[in-house]
Amino acid sequence: MEVHLASWWAQFLEASDSYDRAYLCEGLADLVGPHIAAPLLRREVKNAADAVIRHLERPGSEERAETAADATDRLARTLERIADRSTGSAIATDEAAIVLMALRGDYAEAATAAERLVGRAKLQRLFLTALRLERFDIPMAVRLLDGGQSPREAVRSGHLIGRYSWWPSWLLRVVTERALAGTLDEETVAALDKCAYAELSPIQANVARKLLSGNDRLIDTAANRLTDLGEPDAAARLREGDLTAVALAARLVST
């Protein structure tokens, strides 16, 4: 199975200044921990993870910081000793080494190493949740990632859509289609927001959706209608693809 580079996973962390390190560390340890075959090593990994997580939950505590550092160093020395004694049939330490990466804050590298072991889907959701972004559409971000968009693009679109979850369902379908097509940006959202405030009837909303989808025949009809009703500027904007004219056109075409 092809895995993503650490630079790919790092894009998640770059999308938020306040991602939850404790949650991310705990999640990686929980996903990888059960794959550590040796019981004693698995226990030491868990003890180290617990110490680091407690420190991350209260980073201002010097005592917790020292405990976390000691536990991480002890785990690293244990893995070194096992590696020195290994003759090819000794305890496997690859899984424990992945958790150690996470405990040291190398989350992107740990995700790359863990992807083949635990699967991309679980790691993606973990990283998305750890961002702790308000009004963030995680399911949409997952769909975008599955569709081949980069984490940076998926997080940006998921955040945009999440901020406007109150929009009517017909408009959410439009914005979802644009997000999946990779054509959603702040300017488009601002224009679509005017349609959300327009309080269109079901018939008008259907017309607006067709206009937004780029129906050339309907756009031409709507532009001619706007011109006939004394709105030549709006007609010109509509033909040029200006989304701010859609709500007005939908109202007038439907009357």
Side-chain angles (χ1 to χ4, degrees):
M1 181 184 71
E2 183 180 357
V3 300
H4 292 87
L5 298 175
S7 57
W8 190 87
W9 290 103
Q11 290 181 47
F12 288 99
L13 309 180
E14 294 164 359
S16 174
D17 294 330
S18 57
Y19 66 89
D20 192 334
R21 290 171 171 79
Y23 181 85
L24 194 54
C25 189
E26 182 176 16
L28 284 166
D30 287 346
L31 288 173
V32 177
H35 295 276
I36 300 172
L40 292 178
L41 180 57
R42 186 167 60 246
R43 182 183 303 171
E44 184 167 345
V45 168
K46 185 180 186 308
N47 290 340
D50 288 345
V52 171
I53 292 166
R54 285 196 297 271
H55 163 54
L56 293 174
E57 290 174 339
R58 193 185 296 175
S61 171
E62 293 185 7
E63 180 181 354
R64 292 193 179 193
E66 292 177 3
T67 301
D70 289 343
T72 303
D73 290 343
R74 184 164 53 251
L75 176 59
R77 290 194 298 271
T78 296
L79 297 184
E80 289 173 0
R81 284 198 303 272
I82 294 175
D84 290 341
R85 298 172 184 172
S86 176
T87 59
S89 59
I91 298 173
T93 61
D94 289 350
E95 296 81 6
I98 294 173
V99 179
L100 180 60
M101 289 183 204
L103 300 184
R104 287 173 165 170
D106 299 327
Y107 307 119
E109 289 80 0
T112 294
E115 185 174 356
R116 185 174 284 109
L117 184 67
V118 304
R120 186 186 68 173
K122 292 179 180 179
L123 288 170
Q124 281 182 172
R125 186 164 287 274
L126 172 65
F127 273 67
L128 289 170
T129 304
L131 295 178
R132 300 304 189 200
L133 293 172
E134 294 184 5
R135 295 175 292 179
F136 179 48
D137 193 329
I138 291 180
M140 173 52 62
V142 170
R143 286 183 64 186
L144 296 174
L145 289 168
D146 291 343
Q149 292 193 22
S150 69
R152 185 176 294 106
E153 294 169 334
V155 171
R156 180 182 60 80
S157 294
H159 201 200
L160 281 174
I161 295 172
R163 281 157 47 191
Y164 297 95
S165 58
W166 58 271
W167 279 358
S169 59
W170 69 269
L171 189 54
L172 286 176
R173 288 197 299 272
V174 171
V175 78
T176 296
E177 291 167 0
R178 288 176 177 260
L180 291 171
T183 59
L184 187 65
D185 54 28
E186 290 279 2
E187 184 179 356
T188 300
V189 168
L192 293 176
D193 199 29
K194 296 182 182 298
C195 293
Y197 277 105
E199 297 183 358
L200 303 178
S201 69
I203 293 176
Q204 292 169 341
N206 186 47
V207 171
R209 188 167 185 269
K210 290 179 180 179
L211 289 171
L212 290 168
S213 68
N215 187 309
D216 292 335
R217 176 181 292 183
L218 184 58
I219 289 174
D220 187 58
T221 299
N224 289 335
R225 176 70 168 162
L226 287 170
T227 300
D228 293 341
L229 293 172
E231 296 286 350
D233 291 342
R237 292 201 309 273
L238 184 64
R239 284 197 169 99
E240 292 169 359
D242 186 346
L243 303 182
T244 60
V246 168
L248 176 61
R251 278 201 180 104
L252 297 179
V253 170
S254 304
T255 57

